Amino acid sequence: MGDPEPGAESSAQLPWYRETAGECAFFEAAWQQGLPLLLKGPTGCGKTRFVAHMAARLGRPLFTVACHDDLTAADLTGRYLLSGGDTQWVDGPLTRAVREGGICYLDEVVEARKDVTVVLHPLTDDRRVLPLERTGEILQAPPEFMLVVSYNPGYQHVLKSLKPSTRQRFAALSFDFPPPEVETEIVAAESGLSKDLCAGLINLARRIRELKGKDLEEGVSTRLLVYCASLVAGGMAMETAARATLIQPLSDDGDVIAALEELLSHSF
Amino acid sequence: MGDPEPGAESSAQLPWYRETAGECAFFEAAWQQGLPLLLKGPTGCGKTRFVAHMAARLGRPLFTVACHDDLTAADLTGRYLLSGGDTQWVDGPLTRAVREGGICYLDEVVEARKDVTVVLHPLTDDRRVLPLERTGEILQAPPEFMLVVSYNPGYQHVLKSLKPSTRQRFAALSFDFPPPEVETEIVAAESGLSKDLCAGLINLARRIRELKGKDLEEGVSTRLLVYCASLVAGGMAMETAARATLIQPLSDDGDVIAALEELLSHSF
Amino acid sequence: MGDPEPGAESSAQLPWYRETAGECAFFEAAWQQGLPLLLKGPTGCGKTRFVAHMAARLGRPLFTVACHDDLTAADLTGRYLLSGGDTQWVDGPLTRAVREGGICYLDEVVEARKDVTVVLHPLTDDRRVLPLERTGEILQAPPEFMLVVSYNPGYQHVLKSLKPSTRQRFAALSFDFPPPEVETEIVAAESGLSKDLCAGLINLARRIRELKGKDLEEGVSTRLLVYCASLVAGGMAMETAARATLIQPLSDDGDVIAALEELLSHSF
Amino acid sequence: MGDPEPGAESSAQLPWYRETAGECAFFEAAWQQGLPLLLKGPTGCGKTRFVAHMAARLGRPLFTVACHDDLTAADLTGRYLLSGGDTQWVDGPLTRAVREGGICYLDEVVEARKDVTVVLHPLTDDRRVLPLERTGEILQAPPEFMLVVSYNPGYQHVLKSLKPSTRQRFAALSFDFPPPEVETEIVAAESGLSKDLCAGLINLARRIRELKGKDLEEGVSTRLLVYCASLVAGGMAMETAARATLIQPLSDDGDVIAALEELLSHSF
Amino acid sequence: MGDPEPGAESSAQLPWYRETAGECAFFEAAWQQGLPLLLKGPTGCGKTRFVAHMAARLGRPLFTVACHDDLTAADLTGRYLLSGGDTQWVDGPLTRAVREGGICYLDEVVEARKDVTVVLHPLTDDRRVLPLERTGEILQAPPEFMLVVSYNPGYQHVLKSLKPSTRQRFAALSFDFPPPEVETEIVAAESGLSKDLCAGLINLARRIRELKGKDLEEGVSTRLLVYCASLVAGGMAMETAARATLIQPLSDDGDVIAALEELLSHSF
Amino acid sequence: MGDPEPGAESSAQLPWYRETAGECAFFEAAWQQGLPLLLKGPTGCGKTRFVAHMAARLGRPLFTVACHDDLTAADLTGRYLLSGGDTQWVDGPLTRAVREGGICYLDEVVEARKDVTVVLHPLTDDRRVLPLERTGEILQAPPEFMLVVSYNPGYQHVLKSLKPSTRQRFAALSFDFPPPEVETEIVAAESGLSKDLCAGLINLARRIRELKGKDLEEGVSTRLLVYCASLVAGGMAMETAARATLIQPLSDDGDVIAALEELLSHSF
């Protein structure tokens, strides 16, 4: 297949990804068997990067959608727009992925509105079709098409969760933060900071993550570690950078911030 | 009747279905008497496949709709679309089923919005009509038309249920997972994995299903067993495949997952 | 008056109805006095059939609307539709009934949205007018026009009920299931099954209805008895037919279903 | 002023009204002083008839709106409608009343949506203007214009009530059912039934109304008494007519209905 | 500046206003400094009149909006309307006030929807701009422009209040009913009734206002006193007028009304 | 880069800003590293001014949006408007900031609706893209583009907060009111009042702020101090100005206002 149409994310160069537990092989097997995939794991641990990496590795265009409370089926499938007094159908990202045999990635899928299920169900059973009711089309997904969804099981969603009738349509992988050596390697590669300094950051991150579920809703992400390392690599003092990237984004509670400052003061 | 119009699901080849309790004969009798049918049963036990099988067997086009919170009557009956400055009526799947003498299958009908009842009621009493208020038509359903709805009584729908005045318009069948020998046969036929290995999977599934209502909202579906068997048939290790298809899709709770891993470790 | 326009339900042939308590005479007197009528009673006891019978007997076209949560005044009165760049008014069923001197029957009127009252009030006092605000018309209802509404007082509608200011605009009749001999006659006439077998069904129905308010939200309807008798008349075993029409449609609770099965096993 | 435009309710003939406490003189004084008027009182006690009577007596066109949950300011003031590709403004009933110097009567005003206050406030202070924001007009109400609103203080509106800032813009009259002799006269005049029989009905009504606030949400209205008397005047038995007009419309509770039947059995 | 455009309220003649505590000088100073102003005080104590007076005194056109639950930013700023197949922008009252250097008065601003803050914030800090996102304009408010908002702190708004980030953008004045001598003067001037009779009314009003917070949600307003005095000046008996203007508008509670009647009976 | 297009806020002259803790250097470093920035702090402490200052210092056009309950993604990205029968896309402020390499500042971002996250997420990870689904474009943000958001952690938002998956995409700075000497300097510079008088005001403000969390939801802002000083510089008595700017805007509670008056009476 040629270049993806404008609108698809470029997958020409392979995004750097560090595998930790055979997830690349599993993704490829699920793609070959035509199985939809569910990724579970905390914020900023690399799920989005993993999907981008696999899309490039498999040579498929990638369509990513960050789901939210108001995302409807039409946002995924497409809608009619007025043009010159007439209406013209414009494909949504899911429809484009089906037509082009690409990978559609719905990030935090539990946030989407419920009418999204109407398009996911026929795509995730043996029919593998996408009905476009407004146009009367029923698209047959090609073998190259794959649907990937993700969510963070660490949140407490009283009202929001995937119904079993939806969940049980996906094979599922559980993600977590990488082991320290791997995370050190990742942060150093992304920021250009020395591995030694990065190792100190990862050590601090591990101690912060132990507070999750006690004082913190969520531990510090790999992404924030890269932020911090980038600012230090750009000349900022470690403490200034860490305060703005590893402490202030995590909490607004004075006591929690004081505890994190305490951790920081013993770290470097 | 000739080929169904584009938009109907093809029913040219008979989808494989393994009958367990005379449900095929009952479906045919209800169809002959012009009675609407309600299917009750857990996720992924084969209700959708059963309807597809019967539609093909009776030579009727099938129109399937996965219901959801925002599904309205207009999504079923049709709506006007702007075209060249004028408006043009486009039939919805229910209207098409009535016009073509097909079978309309509303999956998880309790999820639909309440205005759906306005179209179901006159179709499910002795009038058997579909009023299209926007066009002023009142369609008389031909004898070949049949309405089938389903839902999963295992969910706790505090706010969502079929009103008695709607329920009592349907004959009803209760579905459950097939007996072990039958389910083994089904999984082997769908995945290409040997019956021996499939029997082990079905055995594991039965032990998982015993946890339903205790630790699990829903037991593992036949569909997930087919996923697992397909990955193993494609060369994946049993444990890797089972973890991703029979454990991770069922729960996000650490203790529950540990219990399922324990079951898995004693299974193969 | 000539044939009703297409869109009205045909009332050319008199639908069969078995009177039980002088309700036909009362309906005719209310119609002659120009009084709106409220029918109260359980699901499937024959209210809709009664109205169809009376409309035919009085030679009036009938317009039936099954009300629901999202039914608005515009669904009853009409709306403008785009046509060729211009807008064209299309009468709703209530407007048509007023224009044609017909009978408008709003089934389960408590389910409708509150703006429906704006059109019912001026039609149900001494003005007997239907204001169409969008077109600027105020239609004077002819003497032949009659408004009939119904609801099921057995439901618990915490938020939904007719306001006294609306209720007190209607004369009201209370319906219940017919006496056994009459119901036997009805089921035999509708299904073609012998009166003897029907009498057994009615006996079972009476024992099921005694559970209403205890285990069942609603007793079994005459309609379901007709379903059962039709399947048996078509050759199905009594127990199979009764399970699918008199038990499964009533409940999803395992204990309740077992109790109903017990009743069934002692019935034939 | 000439004939009201089509759309206004005809006030050519004076509707019969029996004054009980100087309310006609008060209405006329308020109209002369340009004061808006609030009528409080139970369902069916004659508020609507009173306004119709006064409008005819003062020779003003009357515009009545039954308010409800979804009534918006645009329903009162008007809106643009598409016509021949262009939009055309269509006045609502309040705007028409202002333009034509008529009386606008908003029945059960507390049911209307809150944006209605935006048009009532400038009409009910010393400005007496109606701003039409969509057209950019600010209409000055002529001296003949009068705004009348009503509601039933007997209901329990937890969420719905007139804000003091709105209430305190109206002079207010409290209505109740007329005294027995007057009500007898009214019912006889409206139904054609003899005063003797009517007096028995009024006597029964008084005993029913004593149950209000105990078993009944609202006592029986004068309107229902007229219904009953009309049916009896048309030949129906008193007990049959009273059951359908004075008992069944008031309650669905078996015990309450039995108590009312008891009252009825001792009345004639 | 010339005459205001049609749509602005005429401020040609100076509305009569009786100053009580230097509020006129404060308003003028705030206007000169370009500060937005918040008026707090009970219903009908003269806030609206005060703003009208000051607008006329400063020679600025006045745009008043009564806020409510459904008032949106577009109601204030303007919107596109279809006209001849094209869309045309129509300024809302706030935009007009900015363009014409007028005074925009938002009465009961806490009732408006939250998107109103998006237009108030940039107008109430040092930028003094009104961004019209739909047209792409950013209007710079001229020095003559002033924003005035009001609300009644006596209400209990659990869900509705001005956020501190909005409140702290306004200078604020607290209003109350005028002292007895001043209120007597006001009522006499507005109604034409003698000061002696007015003094008796003001005396009654003071005793009624003492019940606020105990039996009454809000004390009687100056506006209602003017209503009463006008009816008496027009020939109505004092007791009749007072009952309809000072008692019935305040409460629907029988006990409270009896207490007010008691106060009334001792007053004249 | 040349002049910003009309619609962007002019940043030609450098707005005066008094740095207190190295925040200017941090902002510039984050901008150079392409990191999005979150500002936390109380109302009116200078966050908006800080962003305006930095935008001017870096020579970037600034696009400020005050977020609210109803702000949607389309308000930020743009929408189609009808024009001459055709639709034309109009960029929203975020899209303009991306296209022009400017700074987009979302004030009180937690107030925005959840679909805003769909546009923020891809802009705040390594992709730095803005997908415009309606036009099919995916804009690559240039290095000069920066996203800044703010909120006030002092409010109690039970339902509103940034999800960790969003928070952890930002570096964060915590703001508070400036130290007394600095705030004195700011107020004097903005109002033209002498530093001596301003110092008295700042002293009063500090004592008022100590009541925050006890009697006051929020302490007095620097902005209100400037209001007060401006009125005094314009000739108003200190007590009159302070009452209207430092007391009345803070509370409607009589006891709290009395306490503030007490503080005021001891201050000058």
Side-chain angles (χ1 to χ4, degrees), chain D residues 18-238:
Chain D
R18 178 69 165 79
E19 183 172 19
T20 59
E23 64 270 27
C24 294
F26 186 88
F27 189 106
E28 188 162 350
W31 179 70
Q32 280 168 343
Q33 295 287 343
L35 302 186
L37 186 59
L38 165 64
L39 307 180
K40 310 193 290 188
T43 292
C45 72
K47 300 186 298 293
T48 299
R49 178 69 69 97
F50 170 58
V51 178
H53 173 80
M54 290 308 299
R57 197 152 137 175
L58 299 171
R60 301 285 91 213
L62 175 62
F63 298 84
T64 300
V65 180
C67 298
H68 55 83
D69 280 4
D70 299 315
L71 190 91
T72 64
D75 293 321
L76 294 179
T77 54
R79 47 169 59 89
Y80 281 101
L81 292 177
L82 271 179
S83 168
D86 203 351
T87 54
Q88 189 179 353
W89 176 261
V90 177
D91 279 346
L94 178 61
T95 303
R96 296 198 54 197
V98 171
R99 285 203 210 273
E100 301 173 22
I103 291 171
C104 185
Y105 176 45
L106 306 182
D107 193 14
E108 298 205 47
V109 69
V110 292
E111 302 285 343
R113 284 169 63 93
K114 301 302 184 193
D115 65 345
V116 164
T117 58
V118 85
V119 297
L120 297 191
H121 278 203
L123 265 176
T124 52
D125 57 25
D126 56 302
R127 293 173 288 168
R128 282 178 63 88
V129 294
L130 174 61
L132 300 176
E133 283 167 23
R134 306 300 295 267
T135 67
E137 287 177 282
I138 295 193
L139 300 182
Q140 182 67 47
E144 297 85 4
F145 169 78
M146 182 177 190
L147 178 66
V148 184
V149 303
S150 74
Y151 73 95
N152 182 347
Y155 290 173
Q156 310 294 332
H157 290 281
V158 181
L159 292 170
K160 286 181 181 176
S161 60
L162 282 186
K163 290 183 296 180
S165 63
T166 301
R167 279 179 80 114
Q168 297 214 1
R169 291 161 176 280
F170 291 86
L173 290 180
S174 183
F175 276 66
D176 205 343
F177 297 113
E181 320 78 57
V182 178
E183 196 167 26
T184 300
E185 192 183 322
I186 291 170
V187 173
E190 298 263 331
S191 67
L193 192 67
S194 77
K195 283 205 184 179
D196 268 10
L197 283 168
C198 287
L201 279 173
I202 272 73
N203 197 38
L204 173 57
R206 273 179 43 205
R207 298 175 70 182
I208 292 175
R209 286 170 187 163
E210 286 164 3
L211 300 176
K212 178 179 167 181
K214 282 173 282 198
D215 292 319
L216 288 177
E217 191 180 0
E218 187 77 20
V220 68
S221 65
T222 307
R223 176 185 289 124
L224 285 176
L225 293 169
V226 174
Y227 279 13
C228 185
S230 300
L231 288 169
V232 173
M236 191 178 284
M238 175 63 88

Side-chain angles (χ1 to χ4, degrees), chain F residues 4 19 48 98 110 144 169 176 199 201 205 254:
Chain F
E19 183 171 19
T48 300
V98 170
V110 292
E144 295 85 5
R169 293 162 175 278
D176 206 342
L201 280 172

Side-chain angles (χ1 to χ4, degrees), chain B residues 16 182-195 198 226:
Chain B
W16 189 83
V182 178
E183 196 168 24
T184 299
E185 193 184 319
I186 290 170
V187 173
E190 297 263 331
S191 68
L193 193 66
S194 76
K195 282 205 185 182
C198 288
V226 174

Side-chain angles (χ1 to χ4, degrees), chain F residues 69-245:
Chain F
D69 280 5
D70 299 315
L71 189 92
T72 64
D75 294 321
L76 294 179
T77 55
R79 47 170 59 89
Y80 281 101
L81 292 177
L82 271 178
S83 168
D86 203 352
T87 53
Q88 188 179 354
W89 176 262
V90 177
D91 280 345
L94 179 61
T95 304
R96 295 198 54 197
V98 170
R99 285 202 210 273
E100 301 174 22
I103 291 171
C104 185
Y105 175 45
L106 306 182
D107 193 14
E108 298 204 48
V109 68
V110 292
E111 303 284 342
R113 283 168 64 92
K114 302 302 186 191
D115 65 345
V116 163
T117 58
V118 85
V119 298
L120 297 190
H121 279 203
L123 265 176
T124 52
D125 57 25
D126 56 302
R127 294 174 287 168
R128 282 177 63 91
V129 295
L130 174 61
L132 299 176
E133 284 166 23
R134 308 301 294 268
T135 67
E137 287 176 281
I138 295 194
L139 301 183
Q140 183 67 47
E144 295 85 5
F145 169 78
M146 183 179 191
L147 178 66
V148 184
V149 304
S150 74
Y151 73 95
N152 181 349
Y155 290 173
Q156 309 294 332
H157 291 281
V158 181
L159 291 169
K160 286 182 181 175
S161 61
L162 282 186
K163 291 183 295 179
S165 64
T166 300
R167 280 179 79 114
Q168 297 214 0
R169 293 162 175 278
F170 291 86
L173 290 181
S174 183
F175 276 67
D176 206 342
F177 296 114
E181 319 77 56
V182 178
E183 197 168 24
T184 299
E185 192 183 323
I186 291 170
V187 173
E190 298 263 331
S191 68
L193 192 67
S194 75
K195 282 205 185 180
D196 267 9
L197 284 169
C198 288
L201 280 172
I202 271 70
N203 197 38
L204 173 58
R206 273 177 44 203
R207 298 174 71 181
I208 293 174
R209 285 170 188 162
E210 285 164 5
L211 300 175
K212 179 178 169 183
K214 282 173 279 196
D215 293 319
L216 289 178
E217 191 180 1
E218 188 76 21
V220 68
S221 65
T222 307
R223 176 184 291 123
L224 285 176
L225 293 170
V226 174
Y227 279 13
C228 185
S230 300
L231 288 168
V232 174
M236 191 177 284
M238 175 63 87
E239 203 167 341
T240 306
R243 183 170 292 121
T245 56

Side-chain angles (χ1 to χ4, degrees), chain A residues 200-217:
Chain A
L201 280 172
I202 271 71
N203 197 38
L204 172 57
R206 272 177 47 204
R207 298 174 71 181
I208 293 175
R209 285 170 188 162
E210 286 164 4
L211 300 175
K212 179 179 170 183
K214 282 173 280 195
D215 293 319
L216 288 178
E217 191 180 1

Side-chain angles (χ1 to χ4, degrees), chain C residues 26 29 33 35-36 40 85-87 113-115 117-118 124 134 138 151 153 164-165 167-172 174, chain D residues 7 43 64 66 68-70 81-85 108 155 217 219 221 223-224 227 230 236 244 248-252:
Chain C
F26 186 88
Q33 296 287 343
L35 303 185
K40 310 193 290 188
D86 203 351
T87 54
R113 283 169 63 94
K114 302 303 185 193
D115 65 345
T117 58
V118 85
T124 52
R134 306 300 294 268
I138 295 194
Y151 73 95
S165 64
R167 280 178 77 114
Q168 297 215 1
R169 291 161 175 279
F170 291 86
S174 182
Chain D
T43 292
T64 300
H68 55 83
D69 280 4
D70 299 315
L81 292 177
L82 271 179
S83 168
E108 298 205 47
Y155 290 173
E217 191 180 0
S221 65
R223 176 185 289 124
L224 285 176
Y227 279 13
S230 300
M236 191 178 284
Q248 289 292 342
L250 298 196
S251 178
D252 301 326

